[in-house]
Structures are given as structure tokens and as C-alpha cells.
Amino acid sequence: MSEIDRVKLEIIGIIFPVVGSSCLLLAIGTAISTYHFANTASRADGTVVRLFAGGAHPLIRFVPAGTNNAVEFTGSGMIDYAVGDKVTVLYAKDPLTTAVETNIDNPGALWFPSILVGFLGGIFTVVGLHVRKESAIK
């Protein structure tokens, strides 16, 4: 193995675990945030009114409790809906702004970001540590 290849492996063995660990921390943070949101958000009945990306990103319309104004948002995650489907919407109003945080009450919609970032973080960490171990042996 050339000296350049050894240096490349050493760099991968340092950068990959750092990136992977950062992703794992981010996944934990988003999971905690999602857990808090899911347990404190209000619920409303919503309807799929339009589809984007073949149903993976449905446009949902719902009316928050205590208002007569419909709110629309685009859902995302590991979901598949059709126009007219009824869904339960989780929503929370930001007390400092007029923004409303929304999501579909569906495990794929709620947890997909945390799972994806955690999975990628785990892969980066394992690959980086393996490369680091192998390059130290040679």
C-alpha cells in the first residue's frame, strides 16, 4: 500500500466516525424533539387534498380547534396516501410566532427523519472505525 493510500485511509478513519457520531447525536436530538411534539401537540382530523411524489408527500388540510380557518401543509416521511384519505394531524402553535408545527400522526411521518439520520450515522461510524482499525494493523 502506498503512503498516499495510507494517508487517505487514516483521513477516512478520522472523518467518518466524527461525521457518524454527529449524525447519531442529531438523530437522538430529533427523536427527543419528535417525542415531545407527539406527546404535547393537539390533534385534529385532516384530509388529503393533493398528492406530490406519488403520495409520499400529501397536501393535508385541517381546521385547528377553536378556529374556522383551514390550514394546509405537506406531509413527508415513509407514507403513502390517496386524495380523500382521512388522517389525524398533530399540530402545535409556536407561542412566540404565528407559526404552526404540523405533522401526520403516523409512525413513518413522525420518525422517518430520526431513523434515517441515525442509520446513516451508524453506517459512517462503523465504516470509519473499521477503516481505522484496518489501517492501524497494516
Side-chain angles (χ1 to χ4, degrees):
M1 178 183 306
S2 73
E3 186 61 29
I4 292 174
D5 290 339
R6 181 177 299 273
V7 170
K8 287 179 184 176
L9 288 177
E10 287 177 12
I11 291 171
I12 289 171
I14 293 169
I15 291 176
F16 272 44
V18 169
V19 169
S21 299
S22 299
C23 288
L24 290 171
L25 289 173
L26 179 63
I28 291 168
T30 58
I32 290 169
S33 176
T34 298
Y35 179 80
H36 176 73
F37 172 73
N39 286 311
T40 60
S42 299
R43 286 172 167 67
D45 294 327
T47 305
V48 176
V49 295
R50 189 171 174 198
L51 298 177
F52 301 101
H57 299 280
L59 180 66
I60 309 293
R61 180 179 295 141
F62 73 101
V63 178
T67 71
N68 291 327
N69 300 330
V71 174
E72 292 183 345
F73 73 98
T74 303
S76 63
M78 294 298 290
I79 54 178
D80 188 24
Y81 289 106
V83 172
D85 283 354
K86 303 295 183 194
V87 297
T88 300
V89 175
L90 298 174
Y91 68 97
K93 216 170 200 185
D94 185 337
L96 302 176
T97 67
T98 60
V100 177
E101 181 181 358
T102 56
N103 208 330
I104 301 169
D105 190 7
N106 172 298
L110 286 170
W111 298 104
F112 180 71
S114 298
I115 292 169
L116 178 63
V117 172
F119 176 75
L120 292 174
I123 296 292
F124 268 79
T125 301
V126 168
V127 168
L129 292 175
H130 177 73
V131 167
R132 188 172 187 165
K133 177 184 167 193
E134 289 297 316
S135 66
I137 293 173
K138 297 179 180 179

